[in-house]
PDB file of all heavy atoms in Angstrom:
ATOM      1  N   GLU A   1     -16.422  26.371 -34.988  1.00 93.00           N
ATOM      2  CA  GLU A   1     -16.685  27.757 -34.593  1.00 93.00           C
ATOM      3  C   GLU A   1     -17.693  27.864 -33.454  1.00 93.00           C
ATOM      4  O   GLU A   1     -17.871  28.938 -32.873  1.00 93.00           O
ATOM      5  CB  GLU A   1     -17.158  28.583 -35.797  1.00 93.00           C
ATOM      6  CG  GLU A   1     -18.494  28.162 -36.375  1.00 93.00           C
ATOM      7  CD  GLU A   1     -18.358  27.086 -37.441  1.00 93.00           C
ATOM      8  OE1 GLU A   1     -17.268  26.475 -37.531  1.00 93.00           O
ATOM      9  OE2 GLU A   1     -19.339  26.883 -38.182  1.00 93.00           O
ATOM     10  N   ARG A   2     -18.338  26.741 -33.122  1.00 95.00           N
ATOM     11  CA  ARG A   2     -19.263  26.726 -31.984  1.00 95.00           C
ATOM     12  C   ARG A   2     -18.703  25.893 -30.824  1.00 95.00           C
ATOM     13  O   ARG A   2     -19.436  25.484 -29.947  1.00 95.00           O
ATOM     14  CB  ARG A   2     -20.633  26.199 -32.426  1.00 95.00           C
ATOM     15  CG  ARG A   2     -21.370  27.188 -33.313  1.00 95.00           C
ATOM     16  CD  ARG A   2     -22.860  26.897 -33.400  1.00 95.00           C
ATOM     17  NE  ARG A   2     -23.169  25.844 -34.352  1.00 95.00           N
ATOM     18  CZ  ARG A   2     -23.773  24.702 -34.037  1.00 95.00           C
ATOM     19  NH1 ARG A   2     -24.101  24.453 -32.779  1.00 95.00           N
ATOM     20  NH2 ARG A   2     -24.032  23.802 -34.965  1.00 95.00           N
ATOM     21  N   ARG A   3     -17.388  25.702 -30.846  1.00 96.00           N
ATOM     22  CA  ARG A   3     -16.709  25.024 -29.753  1.00 96.00           C
ATOM     23  C   ARG A   3     -15.640  25.946 -29.168  1.00 96.00           C
ATOM     24  O   ARG A   3     -14.736  26.377 -29.880  1.00 96.00           O
ATOM     25  CB  ARG A   3     -16.065  23.713 -30.223  1.00 96.00           C
ATOM     26  CG  ARG A   3     -17.035  22.723 -30.842  1.00 96.00           C
ATOM     27  CD  ARG A   3     -16.407  21.327 -30.970  1.00 96.00           C
ATOM     28  NE  ARG A   3     -15.153  21.314 -31.694  1.00 96.00           N
ATOM     29  CZ  ARG A   3     -15.020  20.960 -32.980  1.00 96.00           C
ATOM     30  NH1 ARG A   3     -16.082  20.633 -33.700  1.00 96.00           N
ATOM     31  NH2 ARG A   3     -13.823  20.944 -33.553  1.00 96.00           N
ATOM     32  N   VAL A   4     -15.768  26.281 -27.895  1.00 97.00           N
ATOM     33  CA  VAL A   4     -14.798  27.131 -27.193  1.00 97.00           C
ATOM     34  C   VAL A   4     -14.035  26.259 -26.207  1.00 97.00           C
ATOM     35  O   VAL A   4     -14.632  25.539 -25.406  1.00 97.00           O
ATOM     36  CB  VAL A   4     -15.497  28.286 -26.448  1.00 97.00           C
ATOM     37  CG1 VAL A   4     -14.494  29.069 -25.603  1.00 97.00           C
ATOM     38  CG2 VAL A   4     -16.200  29.216 -27.439  1.00 97.00           C
ATOM     39  N   VAL A   5     -12.717  26.321 -26.262  1.00 97.00           N
ATOM     40  CA  VAL A   5     -11.871  25.552 -25.359  1.00 97.00           C
ATOM     41  C   VAL A   5     -11.413  26.454 -24.221  1.00 97.00           C
ATOM     42  O   VAL A   5     -10.854  27.535 -24.456  1.00 97.00           O
ATOM     43  CB  VAL A   5     -10.642  24.991 -26.088  1.00 97.00           C
ATOM     44  CG1 VAL A   5      -9.757  24.207 -25.114  1.00 97.00           C
ATOM     45  CG2 VAL A   5     -11.070  24.106 -27.257  1.00 97.00           C
ATOM     46  N   ALA A   6     -11.655  26.016 -22.994  1.00 97.00           N
ATOM     47  CA  ALA A   6     -11.132  26.716 -21.816  1.00 97.00           C
ATOM     48  C   ALA A   6      -9.980  25.874 -21.262  1.00 97.00           C
ATOM     49  O   ALA A   6     -10.202  24.862 -20.594  1.00 97.00           O
ATOM     50  CB  ALA A   6     -12.224  26.904 -20.772  1.00 97.00           C
ATOM     51  N   ASP A   7      -8.773  26.281 -21.588  1.00 97.00           N
ATOM     52  CA  ASP A   7      -7.564  25.573 -21.152  1.00 97.00           C
ATOM     53  C   ASP A   7      -7.240  26.047 -19.736  1.00 97.00           C
ATOM     54  O   ASP A   7      -6.482  26.998 -19.544  1.00 97.00           O
ATOM     55  CB  ASP A   7      -6.427  25.875 -22.132  1.00 97.00           C
ATOM     56  CG  ASP A   7      -5.089  25.342 -21.676  1.00 97.00           C
ATOM     57  OD1 ASP A   7      -5.066  24.377 -20.896  1.00 97.00           O
ATOM     58  OD2 ASP A   7      -4.054  25.912 -22.100  1.00 97.00           O
ATOM     59  N   LEU A   8      -7.778  25.379 -18.744  1.00 97.00           N
ATOM     60  CA  LEU A   8      -7.745  25.881 -17.372  1.00 97.00           C
ATOM     61  C   LEU A   8      -6.401  25.692 -16.680  1.00 97.00           C
ATOM     62  O   LEU A   8      -6.142  26.337 -15.661  1.00 97.00           O
ATOM     63  CB  LEU A   8      -8.846  25.212 -16.545  1.00 97.00           C
ATOM     64  CG  LEU A   8     -10.281  25.438 -17.051  1.00 97.00           C
ATOM     65  CD1 LEU A   8     -11.282  24.793 -16.098  1.00 97.00           C
ATOM     66  CD2 LEU A   8     -10.583  26.925 -17.209  1.00 97.00           C
ATOM     67  N   TRP A   9      -5.532  24.825 -17.214  1.00 94.00           N
ATOM     68  CA  TRP A   9      -4.247  24.566 -16.559  1.00 94.00           C
ATOM     69  C   TRP A   9      -3.044  24.965 -17.417  1.00 94.00           C
ATOM     70  O   TRP A   9      -1.924  24.562 -17.133  1.00 94.00           O
ATOM     71  CB  TRP A   9      -4.141  23.083 -16.173  1.00 94.00           C
ATOM     72  CG  TRP A   9      -4.969  22.726 -14.977  1.00 94.00           C
ATOM     73  CD1 TRP A   9      -5.880  23.507 -14.328  1.00 94.00           C
ATOM     74  CD2 TRP A   9      -4.940  21.481 -14.276  1.00 94.00           C
ATOM     75  NE1 TRP A   9      -6.434  22.836 -13.275  1.00 94.00           N
ATOM     76  CE2 TRP A   9      -5.881  21.580 -13.214  1.00 94.00           C
ATOM     77  CE3 TRP A   9      -4.244  20.291 -14.434  1.00 94.00           C
ATOM     78  CZ2 TRP A   9      -6.117  20.530 -12.316  1.00 94.00           C
ATOM     79  CZ3 TRP A   9      -4.486  19.247 -13.546  1.00 94.00           C
ATOM     80  CH2 TRP A   9      -5.404  19.369 -12.499  1.00 94.00           C
ATOM     81  N   GLY A  10      -3.265  25.739 -18.453  1.00 93.00           N
ATOM     82  CA  GLY A  10      -2.148  26.274 -19.223  1.00 93.00           C
ATOM     83  C   GLY A  10      -1.408  25.267 -20.072  1.00 93.00           C
ATOM     84  O   GLY A  10      -0.216  25.428 -20.357  1.00 93.00           O
ATOM     85  N   HIS A  11      -2.100  24.209 -20.524  1.00 92.00           N
ATOM     86  CA  HIS A  11      -1.446  23.210 -21.375  1.00 92.00           C
ATOM     87  C   HIS A  11      -1.050  23.796 -22.737  1.00 92.00           C
ATOM     88  O   HIS A  11      -0.051  23.390 -23.317  1.00 92.00           O
ATOM     89  CB  HIS A  11      -2.374  22.019 -21.602  1.00 92.00           C
ATOM     90  CG  HIS A  11      -2.651  21.222 -20.367  1.00 92.00           C
ATOM     91  ND1 HIS A  11      -1.664  20.579 -19.652  1.00 92.00           N
ATOM     92  CD2 HIS A  11      -3.821  20.947 -19.719  1.00 92.00           C
ATOM     93  CE1 HIS A  11      -2.194  19.949 -18.625  1.00 92.00           C
ATOM     94  NE2 HIS A  11      -3.498  20.160 -18.638  1.00 92.00           N
ATOM     95  N   TYR A  12      -1.862  24.721 -23.232  1.00 94.00           N
ATOM     96  CA  TYR A  12      -1.629  25.263 -24.578  1.00 94.00           C
ATOM     97  C   TYR A  12      -0.585  26.388 -24.515  1.00 94.00           C
ATOM     98  O   TYR A  12      -0.848  27.554 -24.747  1.00 94.00           O
ATOM     99  CB  TYR A  12      -2.943  25.758 -25.176  1.00 94.00           C
ATOM    100  CG  TYR A  12      -2.869  26.100 -26.640  1.00 94.00           C
ATOM    101  CD1 TYR A  12      -2.565  25.139 -27.594  1.00 94.00           C
ATOM    102  CD2 TYR A  12      -3.113  27.397 -27.084  1.00 94.00           C
ATOM    103  CE1 TYR A  12      -2.499  25.454 -28.942  1.00 94.00           C
ATOM    104  CE2 TYR A  12      -3.069  27.723 -28.431  1.00 94.00           C
ATOM    105  CZ  TYR A  12      -2.749  26.751 -29.349  1.00 94.00           C
ATOM    106  OH  TYR A  12      -2.689  27.074 -30.693  1.00 94.00           O
ATOM    107  N   ASN A  13       0.613  26.005 -24.140  1.00 91.00           N
ATOM    108  CA  ASN A  13       1.788  26.874 -24.098  1.00 91.00           C
ATOM    109  C   ASN A  13       2.999  26.011 -24.402  1.00 91.00           C
ATOM    110  O   ASN A  13       2.923  24.772 -24.372  1.00 91.00           O
ATOM    111  CB  ASN A  13       1.961  27.502 -22.698  1.00 91.00           C
ATOM    112  CG  ASN A  13       0.985  28.621 -22.420  1.00 91.00           C
ATOM    113  OD1 ASN A  13       1.008  29.670 -23.061  1.00 91.00           O
ATOM    114  ND2 ASN A  13       0.101  28.407 -21.446  1.00 91.00           N
ATOM    115  N   ASP A  14       4.121  26.646 -24.674  1.00 89.00           N
ATOM    116  CA  ASP A  14       5.371  25.905 -24.689  1.00 89.00           C
ATOM    117  C   ASP A  14       5.569  25.298 -23.303  1.00 89.00           C
ATOM    118  O   ASP A  14       4.961  25.731 -22.320  1.00 89.00           O
ATOM    119  CB  ASP A  14       6.537  26.837 -25.024  1.00 89.00           C
ATOM    120  CG  ASP A  14       6.435  27.388 -26.440  1.00 89.00           C
ATOM    121  OD1 ASP A  14       5.810  26.724 -27.291  1.00 89.00           O
ATOM    122  OD2 ASP A  14       6.952  28.496 -26.676  1.00 89.00           O
ATOM    123  N   THR A  15       6.421  24.295 -23.219  1.00 87.00           N
ATOM    124  CA  THR A  15       6.662  23.654 -21.928  1.00 87.00           C
ATOM    125  C   THR A  15       7.239  24.656 -20.938  1.00 87.00           C
ATOM    126  O   THR A  15       8.222  25.342 -21.221  1.00 87.00           O
ATOM    127  CB  THR A  15       7.613  22.462 -22.087  1.00 87.00           C
ATOM    128  OG1 THR A  15       6.989  21.477 -22.923  1.00 87.00           O
ATOM    129  CG2 THR A  15       7.922  21.835 -20.736  1.00 87.00           C
ATOM    130  N   ILE A  16       6.591  24.740 -19.793  1.00 87.00           N
ATOM    131  CA  ILE A  16       6.978  25.680 -18.743  1.00 87.00           C
ATOM    132  C   ILE A  16       7.200  24.893 -17.462  1.00 87.00           C
ATOM    133  O   ILE A  16       6.383  24.051 -17.086  1.00 87.00           O
ATOM    134  CB  ILE A  16       5.873  26.733 -18.505  1.00 87.00           C
ATOM    135  CG1 ILE A  16       5.598  27.525 -19.789  1.00 87.00           C
ATOM    136  CG2 ILE A  16       6.261  27.679 -17.362  1.00 87.00           C
ATOM    137  CD1 ILE A  16       4.354  28.378 -19.714  1.00 87.00           C
ATOM    138  N   ARG A  17       8.306  25.160 -16.801  1.00 87.00           N
ATOM    139  CA  ARG A  17       8.598  24.540 -15.511  1.00 87.00           C
ATOM    140  C   ARG A  17       8.954  25.635 -14.520  1.00 87.00           C
ATOM    141  O   ARG A  17       9.856  26.438 -14.779  1.00 87.00           O
ATOM    142  CB  ARG A  17       9.738  23.534 -15.643  1.00 87.00           C
ATOM    143  CG  ARG A  17       9.931  22.684 -14.381  1.00 87.00           C
ATOM    144  CD  ARG A  17      11.068  21.676 -14.548  1.00 87.00           C
ATOM    145  NE  ARG A  17      11.116  20.766 -13.401  1.00 87.00           N
ATOM    146  CZ  ARG A  17      10.540  19.578 -13.376  1.00 87.00           C
ATOM    147  NH1 ARG A  17       9.875  19.153 -14.437  1.00 87.00           N
ATOM    148  NH2 ARG A  17      10.613  18.809 -12.299  1.00 87.00           N
ATOM    149  N   VAL A  18       8.246  25.666 -13.409  1.00 89.00           N
ATOM    150  CA  VAL A  18       8.500  26.637 -12.349  1.00 89.00           C
ATOM    151  C   VAL A  18       8.650  25.861 -11.057  1.00 89.00           C
ATOM    152  O   VAL A  18       7.698  25.225 -10.590  1.00 89.00           O
ATOM    153  CB  VAL A  18       7.344  27.657 -12.225  1.00 89.00           C
ATOM    154  CG1 VAL A  18       7.707  28.727 -11.206  1.00 89.00           C
ATOM    155  CG2 VAL A  18       7.006  28.274 -13.567  1.00 89.00           C
ATOM    156  N   ASP A  19       9.833  25.916 -10.451  1.00 84.00           N
ATOM    157  CA  ASP A  19      10.134  25.071  -9.287  1.00 84.00           C
ATOM    158  C   ASP A  19       9.867  23.611  -9.678  1.00 84.00           C
ATOM    159  O   ASP A  19      10.422  23.126 -10.643  1.00 84.00           O
ATOM    160  CB  ASP A  19       9.301  25.498  -8.074  1.00 84.00           C
ATOM    161  CG  ASP A  19       9.625  26.922  -7.626  1.00 84.00           C
ATOM    162  OD1 ASP A  19      10.764  27.350  -7.834  1.00 84.00           O
ATOM    163  OD2 ASP A  19       8.733  27.596  -7.073  1.00 84.00           O
ATOM    164  N   HIS A  20       8.985  22.937  -8.947  1.00 82.00           N
ATOM    165  CA  HIS A  20       8.640  21.556  -9.288  1.00 82.00           C
ATOM    166  C   HIS A  20       7.412  21.485 -10.187  1.00 82.00           C
ATOM    167  O   HIS A  20       6.994  20.396 -10.580  1.00 82.00           O
ATOM    168  CB  HIS A  20       8.356  20.752  -8.015  1.00 82.00           C
ATOM    169  CG  HIS A  20       9.538  20.600  -7.120  1.00 82.00           C
ATOM    170  ND1 HIS A  20      10.749  20.128  -7.570  1.00 82.00           N
ATOM    171  CD2 HIS A  20       9.696  20.853  -5.799  1.00 82.00           C
ATOM    172  CE1 HIS A  20      11.607  20.100  -6.552  1.00 82.00           C
ATOM    173  NE2 HIS A  20      10.995  20.536  -5.473  1.00 82.00           N
ATOM    174  N   ASP A  21       6.830  22.619 -10.494  1.00 86.00           N
ATOM    175  CA  ASP A  21       5.548  22.640 -11.211  1.00 86.00           C
ATOM    176  C   ASP A  21       5.783  22.718 -12.714  1.00 86.00           C
ATOM    177  O   ASP A  21       6.798  23.258 -13.175  1.00 86.00           O
ATOM    178  CB  ASP A  21       4.721  23.840 -10.738  1.00 86.00           C
ATOM    179  CG  ASP A  21       3.239  23.653 -10.967  1.00 86.00           C
ATOM    180  OD1 ASP A  21       2.841  22.617 -11.518  1.00 86.00           O
ATOM    181  OD2 ASP A  21       2.471  24.564 -10.595  1.00 86.00           O
ATOM    182  N   PHE A  22       4.822  22.213 -13.478  1.00 84.00           N
ATOM    183  CA  PHE A  22       4.982  22.176 -14.928  1.00 84.00           C
ATOM    184  C   PHE A  22       3.611  22.042 -15.573  1.00 84.00           C
ATOM    185  O   PHE A  22       2.652  21.603 -14.957  1.00 84.00           O
ATOM    186  CB  PHE A  22       5.879  20.998 -15.345  1.00 84.00           C
ATOM    187  CG  PHE A  22       5.693  19.768 -14.488  1.00 84.00           C
ATOM    188  CD1 PHE A  22       4.630  18.907 -14.708  1.00 84.00           C
ATOM    189  CD2 PHE A  22       6.564  19.498 -13.449  1.00 84.00           C
ATOM    190  CE1 PHE A  22       4.451  17.779 -13.915  1.00 84.00           C
ATOM    191  CE2 PHE A  22       6.388  18.370 -12.651  1.00 84.00           C
ATOM    192  CZ  PHE A  22       5.317  17.512 -12.880  1.00 84.00           C
ATOM    193  N   ASN A  23       3.531  22.446 -16.843  1.00 83.00           N
ATOM    194  CA  ASN A  23       2.242  22.404 -17.539  1.00 83.00           C
ATOM    195  C   ASN A  23       2.066  21.158 -18.401  1.00 83.00           C
ATOM    196  O   ASN A  23       0.956  20.874 -18.842  1.00 83.00           O
ATOM    197  CB  ASN A  23       2.050  23.663 -18.402  1.00 83.00           C
ATOM    198  CG  ASN A  23       3.105  23.812 -19.489  1.00 83.00           C
ATOM    199  OD1 ASN A  23       4.236  23.369 -19.330  1.00 83.00           O
ATOM    200  ND2 ASN A  23       2.729  24.458 -20.587  1.00 83.00           N
ATOM    201  N   HIS A  24       3.143  20.433 -18.673  1.00 79.00           N
ATOM    202  CA  HIS A  24       3.041  19.192 -19.441  1.00 79.00           C
ATOM    203  C   HIS A  24       3.518  18.047 -18.545  1.00 79.00           C
ATOM    204  O   HIS A  24       4.706  17.905 -18.266  1.00 79.00           O
ATOM    205  CB  HIS A  24       3.877  19.272 -20.718  1.00 79.00           C
ATOM    206  CG  HIS A  24       3.412  20.359 -21.640  1.00 79.00           C
ATOM    207  ND1 HIS A  24       4.274  21.135 -22.377  1.00 79.00           N
ATOM    208  CD2 HIS A  24       2.168  20.805 -21.923  1.00 79.00           C
ATOM    209  CE1 HIS A  24       3.580  22.008 -23.090  1.00 79.00           C
ATOM    210  NE2 HIS A  24       2.296  21.835 -22.816  1.00 79.00           N
ATOM    211  N   LEU A  25       2.573  17.237 -18.093  1.00 73.00           N
ATOM    212  CA  LEU A  25       2.820  16.259 -17.044  1.00 73.00           C
ATOM    213  C   LEU A  25       3.186  14.901 -17.629  1.00 73.00           C
ATOM    214  O   LEU A  25       2.500  13.904 -17.417  1.00 73.00           O
ATOM    215  CB  LEU A  25       1.573  16.133 -16.158  1.00 73.00           C
ATOM    216  CG  LEU A  25       0.879  17.442 -15.762  1.00 73.00           C
ATOM    217  CD1 LEU A  25      -0.355  17.159 -14.946  1.00 73.00           C
ATOM    218  CD2 LEU A  25       1.834  18.351 -15.001  1.00 73.00           C
ATOM    219  N   GLU A  26       4.299  14.851 -18.385  1.00 64.00           N
ATOM    220  CA  GLU A  26       4.643  13.620 -19.089  1.00 64.00           C
ATOM    221  C   GLU A  26       4.741  12.420 -18.161  1.00 64.00           C
ATOM    222  O   GLU A  26       4.277  11.324 -18.475  1.00 64.00           O
ATOM    223  CB  GLU A  26       5.970  13.791 -19.849  1.00 64.00           C
ATOM    224  CG  GLU A  26       5.905  14.794 -20.994  1.00 64.00           C
ATOM    225  CD  GLU A  26       6.400  16.166 -20.581  1.00 64.00           C
ATOM    226  OE1 GLU A  26       6.363  16.472 -19.371  1.00 64.00           O
ATOM    227  OE2 GLU A  26       6.834  16.933 -21.462  1.00 64.00           O
ATOM    228  N   LYS A  27       5.363  12.613 -16.998  1.00 56.00           N
ATOM    229  CA  LYS A  27       5.546  11.497 -16.069  1.00 56.00           C
ATOM    230  C   LYS A  27       4.217  11.008 -15.492  1.00 56.00           C
ATOM    231  O   LYS A  27       4.111   9.865 -15.069  1.00 56.00           O
ATOM    232  CB  LYS A  27       6.461  11.914 -14.919  1.00 56.00           C
ATOM    233  CG  LYS A  27       7.931  12.021 -15.278  1.00 56.00           C
ATOM    234  CD  LYS A  27       8.749  12.300 -14.024  1.00 56.00           C
ATOM    235  CE  LYS A  27      10.232  12.375 -14.336  1.00 56.00           C
ATOM    236  NZ  LYS A  27      11.020  12.648 -13.100  1.00 56.00           N
ATOM    237  N   LEU A  28       3.233  11.890 -15.464  1.00 63.00           N
ATOM    238  CA  LEU A  28       1.974  11.551 -14.810  1.00 63.00           C
ATOM    239  C   LEU A  28       0.926  11.073 -15.800  1.00 63.00           C
ATOM    240  O   LEU A  28       0.289  10.037 -15.602  1.00 63.00           O
ATOM    241  CB  LEU A  28       1.447  12.757 -14.035  1.00 63.00           C
ATOM    242  CG  LEU A  28       0.289  12.497 -13.070  1.00 63.00           C
ATOM    243  CD1 LEU A  28       0.716  11.495 -12.006  1.00 63.00           C
ATOM    244  CD2 LEU A  28      -0.140  13.801 -12.404  1.00 63.00           C
ATOM    245  N   ASP A  29       0.728  11.835 -16.879  1.00 62.00           N
ATOM    246  CA  ASP A  29      -0.344  11.451 -17.810  1.00 62.00           C
ATOM    247  C   ASP A  29       0.164  10.907 -19.144  1.00 62.00           C
ATOM    248  O   ASP A  29      -0.631  10.492 -19.989  1.00 62.00           O
ATOM    249  CB  ASP A  29      -1.310  12.623 -18.049  1.00 62.00           C
ATOM    250  CG  ASP A  29      -0.636  13.848 -18.641  1.00 62.00           C
ATOM    251  OD1 ASP A  29       0.269  13.704 -19.483  1.00 62.00           O
ATOM    252  OD2 ASP A  29      -1.033  14.971 -18.285  1.00 62.00           O
ATOM    253  N   GLY A  30       1.483  10.940 -19.361  1.00 58.00           N
ATOM    254  CA  GLY A  30       2.047  10.315 -20.548  1.00 58.00           C
ATOM    255  C   GLY A  30       1.910  11.106 -21.833  1.00 58.00           C
ATOM    256  O   GLY A  30       2.195  10.585 -22.912  1.00 58.00           O
ATOM    257  N   HIS A  31       1.516  12.388 -21.745  1.00 63.00           N
ATOM    258  CA  HIS A  31       1.304  13.183 -22.954  1.00 63.00           C
ATOM    259  C   HIS A  31       2.334  14.312 -23.036  1.00 63.00           C
ATOM    260  O   HIS A  31       2.540  15.060 -22.079  1.00 63.00           O
ATOM    261  CB  HIS A  31      -0.109  13.768 -22.970  1.00 63.00           C
ATOM    262  CG  HIS A  31      -1.170  12.718 -23.111  1.00 63.00           C
ATOM    263  ND1 HIS A  31      -1.408  12.064 -24.289  1.00 63.00           N
ATOM    264  CD2 HIS A  31      -2.042  12.206 -22.216  1.00 63.00           C
ATOM    265  CE1 HIS A  31      -2.389  11.186 -24.117  1.00 63.00           C
ATOM    266  NE2 HIS A  31      -2.789  11.252 -22.869  1.00 63.00           N
ATOM    267  N   LEU A  32       2.950  14.444 -24.197  1.00 71.00           N
ATOM    268  CA  LEU A  32       3.951  15.471 -24.439  1.00 71.00           C
ATOM    269  C   LEU A  32       3.284  16.794 -24.806  1.00 71.00           C
ATOM    270  O   LEU A  32       2.101  16.850 -25.126  1.00 71.00           O
ATOM    271  CB  LEU A  32       4.888  15.024 -25.553  1.00 71.00           C
ATOM    272  CG  LEU A  32       5.627  13.699 -25.316  1.00 71.00           C
ATOM    273  CD1 LEU A  32       6.404  13.302 -26.558  1.00 71.00           C
ATOM    274  CD2 LEU A  32       6.552  13.814 -24.110  1.00 71.00           C
TER     275      LEU A  32
END
């Protein structure tokens, strides 16, 4: 309750892809 998360790049969403952009960078950082 004393930890606030600022998700600055929108990771905490369903997978979103817009043009070539995406919020879950599996190819780059290996995390789903």
Side-chain angles (χ1 to χ4, degrees):
E1 65 271 15
R2 289 198 279 120
R3 302 194 305 260
V4 174
V5 179
D7 172 25
L8 300 183
W9 285 8
H11 293 299
Y12 191 62
N13 285 295
D14 295 334
T15 297
I16 300 169
R17 190 179 187 95
V18 185
D19 297 331
H20 296 308
D21 203 358
F22 36 80
N23 61 330
H24 298 142
L25 317 178
E26 294 96 336
K27 286 186 178 180
L28 192 60
D29 60 37
H31 293 287
L32 302 174

